[in-house]
């Protein structure tokens, strides 16, 4: 707990009993909702851009400037890393069933991965960095937003379904 380190993301688990805080030096602090400290995960060598709990709240994914996504147990044990990104990873999202992850990167790409770490496919590309991704409720569709001022909707098979344009500035 160092108040001089910049916080990059904060998230509750699904039932709001655990809070995770990611910082600019690559660590994730885990707390119980009553404020009691659980552990620090030394997750990455560079800043973490985003963290997400799995739908069951038992694991945590972290997207980082080191071009990797870490998948963690809540006690800090690394389960696996998703490697193969060619630029900083800005965003990560779990599918509703927890079996897949989507990632978005500074190299403008939206990727789909299996929870076991297998790269499945590149869904598509934006004209600028991708800053957020999210699955729909049935896990068959992914939305991505980018600094290119567009929201794109993809099927998990990799088809671009639609593009929302006309925003005045880049979308975070």
């Amino acid at each position: 707990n160092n108040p001089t380190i910049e916080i990059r993301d904060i998230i509750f688990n699904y039932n709001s009993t655990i809070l995770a805080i990611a910082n600019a030096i690559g660590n994730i602090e885990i707390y119980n909702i009553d404020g009691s400290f659980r552990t620090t995960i030394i997750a990455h060598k560079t800043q973490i851009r985003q963290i997400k709990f799995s739908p069951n709240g038992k694991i945590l994914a972290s997207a980082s400037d080191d071009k990797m996504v870490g998948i963690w147990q809540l006690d800090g044990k690394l389960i696996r890393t998703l490697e193969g990104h060619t630029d900083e990873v800005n965003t990560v999202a779990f599918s509703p069933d927890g079996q897949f992850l989507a990632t978005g990167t500074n190299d403008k790409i939206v990727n789909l991965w299996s929870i076991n770490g297998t790269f499945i496919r590149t869904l598509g590309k934006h004209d600028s960095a991708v800053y957020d991704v999210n699955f729909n409720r049935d896990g068959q569709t992914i939305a991505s937003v980018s600094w290119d001022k567009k929201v794109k909707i993809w099927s998990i098979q990799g088809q671009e379904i639609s593009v929302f344009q006309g925003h005045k500035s880049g979308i975070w």
Side-chain angles (χ1 to χ4, degrees):
N1 187 0
N2 184 338
T4 63
I5 298 173
E6 293 179 25
I7 293 174
R8 294 292 187 218
D9 200 14
I10 187 167
I11 191 166
F12 286 105
N13 69 339
Y14 76 98
N15 63 359
S16 299
T17 58
I18 299 172
L19 179 70
I21 303 170
N23 66 37
I25 62 169
N27 298 337
I28 304 167
E29 296 176 351
I30 308 291
Y31 294 88
N32 293 313
I33 195 62
D34 65 5
S36 59
F37 176 76
R38 292 177 64 134
T39 193
T40 296
I41 302 171
I42 311 299
H44 298 272
K45 294 178 181 168
T46 58
Q47 78 173 331
I48 296 171
R49 297 286 182 135
Q50 192 176 61
I51 51 177
K52 293 282 178 79
F53 277 102
S54 62
N56 68 8
K58 294 182 179 178
I59 60 176
L60 189 67
S62 57
S64 174
D65 283 1
D66 63 8
K67 305 177 187 175
M68 291 189 288
V69 171
I71 303 174
W72 308 92
Q73 291 182 178
L74 297 186
D75 63 4
K77 181 181 177 198
L78 178 66
I79 298 170
R80 70 187 44 86
T81 57
L82 305 182
E83 298 183 44
H85 297 95
T86 60
D87 209 337
E88 298 165 344
V89 184
N90 295 319
T91 181
V92 61
F94 283 94
S95 62
D97 64 4
Q99 297 304 303
F100 300 95
L101 294 112
T103 58
T105 64
N106 270 0
D107 60 2
K108 311 170 190 172
I109 293 174
V110 178
N111 286 322
L112 183 66
W113 304 80
S114 168
I115 191 67
N116 70 10
T118 303
F119 172 77
I120 297 172
R121 71 180 50 91
T122 295
L123 297 179
K125 195 168 186 177
H126 277 266
D127 297 322
S128 191
V130 177
Y131 283 104
D132 205 4
V133 292
N134 205 347
F135 282 86
N136 74 336
R137 182 173 265 189
D138 71 9
Q140 299 301 303
T141 306
I142 296 170
S144 60
V145 299
S146 170
W147 196 245
D148 67 6
K149 306 176 188 174
K150 297 174 187 170
V151 176
K152 292 189 175 189
I153 309 298
W154 313 91
S155 74
I156 61 169
Q157 290 77 30
Q159 288 83 33
E160 185 178 291
I161 297 170
S162 58
V163 179
F164 298 84
Q165 300 184 77
H167 294 89
K168 303 275 189 243
S169 62
I171 307 168
W172 289 83

